[in-house]
Amino acid sequence: MRGIIDILDLSVEELDGIISVACDIIERPEKYAQICRGKKLATLFFEPSTRTRLSFEAAMYELGGNVLSVSSADSSSAAKGESVADTARVVSCYADIIAMRHPKEGAALVAAQNATVPVINAGDGGHCHPTQTLADILTIYREKGRLGNMTVGLCGDLKFGRTVHSLINALSRYEGVKFVLISPEELKLPSYVKNDVLKKKNIPYTQTTDLLEAMPELDILYMTRVQRERFFNEEDYVRLKDSYILTPDKLRTAKQDMIVMHPLPRVNEISVAVDADPRACYFKQVLNGKYMRMALILMLLKEAGTI
Ligand code: NCD
């Protein structure tokens, strides 16, 4: 059964299709309100989450379906030592589709290899997070009217930030995209993304530690949280956590139509004073994520012959 483990598991054409279904859902939600009646989504979240899990669940409810949920590792048989493979086989007996978040890189892939229903990766460790990218892509499309020909600044924890890895993969397939990678030395983009995606595809990029210097050329500024849970020691986290704090003052040299994005949750990286700026799009991303997850669930359930 096909799973969506990496954003590249969706072709550009499929991604276009998901965007157009999501836009149709926004226009005509009533048309979709009963499509998944009697169908069940299982959300298996072995790592903390507010948005992603509730977004998947809201998406399924808005399609008329039902939800089964595990919201922490302690409350499931994972605490007894059950393998991801076994859990996936078991849950396939109860649900028509699975969304899984796990602290280990590759866990969703193992789940997909063992499940008999489609599995969607809702974040696997510091690796990738394809459905956050769906939210990001719809936001860029709705705000900028295009997915190519732009300079995208990615700022913060580029090493452990899985949303950044997936977004780079997705945007690298469009013409005219240039990346500005803004991070402290220790939190630079991993070489598997830099070499296998940017260098291999000849995508223009620059690396800097200086957000202010990069600001004027950006069409998108994608801020990220320093991923505390992936650090080996608290001291390093404390030293790096406030490397970048976006304030209204720092936005003075930004383009008038630049958009500020963040997958959320934010800690300190964007001051709340920025929220009032019309360029702040992070709460729009949240809503767009729900529509894209609805469209993705529909695509996968149709493909599996479930609806
Ligand atoms: C992100 C994640 O879980 O990777 N959150 C989310 O799903 N919106 C980003 C983060 O936790 O920093």
Side-chain angles (χ1 to χ4, degrees), residues 144-195:
K144 306 294 294 178
R146 64 184 195 277
L147 293 170
N149 299 314
M150 56 179 86
T151 300
V152 182
L154 300 159
C155 178
D157 187 348
L158 309 188
K159 179 178 182 188
F160 297 118
R162 55 194 174 193
T163 63
V164 165
H165 308 158
S166 293
L167 186 60
I168 289 178
N169 266 302
L171 288 178
S172 295
R173 299 191 291 186
Y174 297 92
E175 289 290 311
V177 175
K178 180 186 163 194
F179 294 103
V180 183
L181 308 173
I182 309 152
S183 74
E185 278 300 316
E186 290 102 314
L187 299 178
K188 276 158 98 174
L189 193 70
S191 52
Y192 79 88
V193 185
K194 210 182 306 165
N195 297 337

Side-chain angles (χ1 to χ4, degrees), residues 47-49 51-52 101 122-123 125 128-129 132 160-163 222 224-227 229-230 262-266 293:
E47 214 186 33
S49 167
R51 262 152 304 276
T52 307
R101 169 170 291 191
C128 51
H129 192 350
Q132 179 61 46
F160 297 118
R162 55 194 174 193
T163 63
Y222 193 97
T224 60
R225 169 179 75 89
V226 175
Q227 307 277 297
E229 63 277 36
R230 318 243 181 262
H262 190 305
L264 302 181
R266 77 171 142 189
R293 290 184 176 102

Side-chain angles (χ1 to χ4, degrees), residues 37-189:
R37 213 179 155 145
K39 305 302 171 203
K40 282 170 280 173
L41 162 77
T43 49
L44 306 181
F45 277 59
F46 301 115
E47 214 186 33
S49 167
T50 305
R51 262 152 304 276
T52 307
R53 185 168 65 83
L54 296 187
S55 168
F56 266 111
E57 297 184 359
M60 193 56 168
Y61 284 125
E62 290 190 25
L63 292 168
N66 298 306
V67 172
L68 306 170
S69 187
V70 167
S71 58
S72 75
D74 320 337
S75 67
S76 74
S77 283
K80 299 182 190 169
E82 185 169 57
S83 67
V84 167
D86 281 2
T87 303
R89 289 177 70 170
V90 168
V91 176
S92 298
C93 302
Y94 306 137
D96 301 289
I97 185 163
I98 296 171
M100 177 189 264
R101 169 170 291 191
H102 200 283
K104 288 209 177 111
E105 289 78 4
L109 177 63
V110 172
Q113 285 164 342
N114 288 278
T116 53
V117 299
V119 173
I120 304 170
N121 181 7
D124 61 329
H127 184 219
C128 51
H129 192 350
T131 64
Q132 179 61 46
T133 301
L134 295 182
D136 300 342
I137 290 279
L138 182 60
T139 305
I140 296 170
Y141 178 74
R142 293 181 79 190
E143 300 302 315
K144 306 294 294 178
R146 64 184 195 277
L147 293 170
N149 299 314
M150 56 179 86
T151 300
V152 182
L154 300 159
C155 178
D157 187 348
L158 309 188
K159 179 178 182 188
F160 297 118
R162 55 194 174 193
T163 63
V164 165
H165 308 158
S166 293
L167 186 60
I168 289 178
N169 266 302
L171 288 178
S172 295
R173 299 191 291 186
Y174 297 92
E175 289 290 311
V177 175
K178 180 186 163 194
F179 294 103
V180 183
L181 308 173
I182 309 152
S183 74
E185 278 300 316
E186 290 102 314
L187 299 178
K188 276 158 98 174
L189 193 70

